[in-house]
Amino acid sequence: MTLAAATNENLAHISNVLIYSSMAVFTLAFFAHIAEWTFGSRSKVGRTAAALTGAPSRASSVQVQVKSQSGGTAVLDRPKVITRSAAGTRDVPDGPGAAGGTEKGDLYGRVAVSLTVLAFFVEAAGVVARAVSVQRAPWGNMYEFSITFSTVAVGAYLGFLVARKNVRWIGLPLVTTVLLDLGIATTVLYTNSDQLVPALHSYWLWIHVSTAILCGAVFYLGAVGTLFYLLRDFYEAKVARGEKPGALRTSVMERLPAAATLDKFSYRVNAAVFPLWTFTIIAGAIWAGDAWGRYWGWDPKEVWSFITWVAYACYLHARATAGWKGRKAAALALVAFGCWLFNYYGVNIFVTGKHSYAGV
């Protein structure tokens, strides 16, 4: 074995160690988020916010006195009221967050975010080590794509936090998904470091696949927001009808942003990344022309990429159409993300085509 080969093998081993280490840190972040939600459910502020949710007032803020643990009183501000734009709107305030406004819950939430940041850098280092070991872009097979995808998804989430967006409620589902993704990648999809087939030796690998990973990561965040929007919207509708949901459901739903806020977040995220997904498909067609002598050949990967594009285009159009706003449009968004998932897992594993060059 040459010195260069031995060095590359050592780097591949270091990459594996870093990926497993990031999984350990993500696991700690997962339990910290669980603690955040648990202590938030016991919050007096959370219960007060839940009571205010049903108050028939359009005021932007209301002061409420609540006894503190020390025996004094604290003045609480009612969360900002978010109003729907559609007919038959409900005035519903955003919830206080997973921590429920408690100091202990907020502490665990901050610990969870700090651990997520640490895990992000450790995983990113693992991706870089993998790239150096193979001396190419680190997304030549499903294993490399998976570890890069989860890294970018976490990076996008942290970017929202840096921009001071109220998205910490994404933390628990994100960390859970990342652990599942890395678990599958390291056990089922793992592939030893190797060079690519000649058709993939192109600068388009950096352009096309990197944009596909970024789009998938942002689409994932939009899908989480859409799912929570549906859950919160059904909850708000039930409360508006005078029904009383269960205690656990109430505790969780009342701490989330209002349905209107979640709907706006999901729409903006999906709309912002859709042009980049369009570019991804165009870049793939150009690369196919260089590699295979044709821009479009109805390969399964090409077909499902286009189906995903059509699904998101339908969602964005439906979201802008009065009769399809709300739950119908949200359902389309989840279908669109389902198409993206099938395009990645289903097509790569179960369907044979020109994009089946790397196996798993």
Side-chain angles (χ1 to χ4, degrees), residues 10-204:
N10 289 334
L11 286 172
H13 176 70
I14 292 173
S15 173
N16 294 340
V17 171
L18 289 171
I19 295 300
Y20 279 107
S21 298
S22 71
M23 292 176 66
V25 182
F26 276 126
T27 301
L28 295 177
F30 169 81
F31 285 114
H33 273 300
I34 292 292
E36 177 189 19
W37 280 93
T38 300
F39 284 104
S41 67
R42 303 171 184 176
S43 165
K44 291 183 179 180
V45 177
R47 293 197 297 269
T48 303
L52 287 172
T53 301
S57 172
R58 291 179 177 271
S60 60
S61 65
V62 173
Q63 290 187 331
V64 181
Q65 289 188 343
V66 179
K67 288 186 178 179
S68 64
Q69 293 179 351
S70 61
T73 59
V75 178
L76 308 177
D77 287 332
R78 180 182 177 181
K80 182 181 178 182
V81 173
I82 307 297
T83 305
R84 294 187 173 204
S85 58
T89 61
R90 298 189 295 267
D91 290 345
V92 180
D94 284 335
T102 61
E103 291 186 7
K104 184 170 286 188
D106 184 64
L107 173 62
Y108 279 109
R110 292 177 182 274
V111 169
V113 171
S114 299
L115 289 170
T116 302
V117 172
L118 176 61
F120 166 74
F121 282 113
V122 173
E123 185 181 12
V127 173
V128 171
R130 177 79 175 196
V132 175
S133 71
V134 294
Q135 299 181 2
R136 56 168 172 78
W139 41 72
N141 50 59
M142 289 186 69
Y143 168 73
E144 295 172 355
F145 190 101
S146 294
I147 61 176
T148 307
F149 168 79
S150 58
T151 304
V152 174
V154 175
Y157 163 69
L158 296 177
F160 279 114
L161 290 180
V162 171
R164 297 186 180 278
K165 301 297 181 181
N166 178 23
V167 295
R168 208 162 81 182
W169 47 271
I170 297 179
L172 180 58
L174 172 67
V175 171
T176 304
T177 304
V178 167
L179 284 172
L180 290 174
D181 175 70
L182 292 179
I184 294 173
T186 54
T187 57
V188 179
L189 304 178
Y190 182 78
T191 304
N192 291 324
S193 301
D194 200 0
Q195 293 303 310
L196 301 175
V197 297
L200 296 185
H201 286 287
S202 169
Y203 59 88
W204 284 107

Side-chain angles (χ1 to χ4, degrees), residues 252-263:
V252 173
M253 291 295 108
E254 292 292 356
R255 284 179 282 157
L256 289 175
T261 302
L262 293 168
D263 183 40

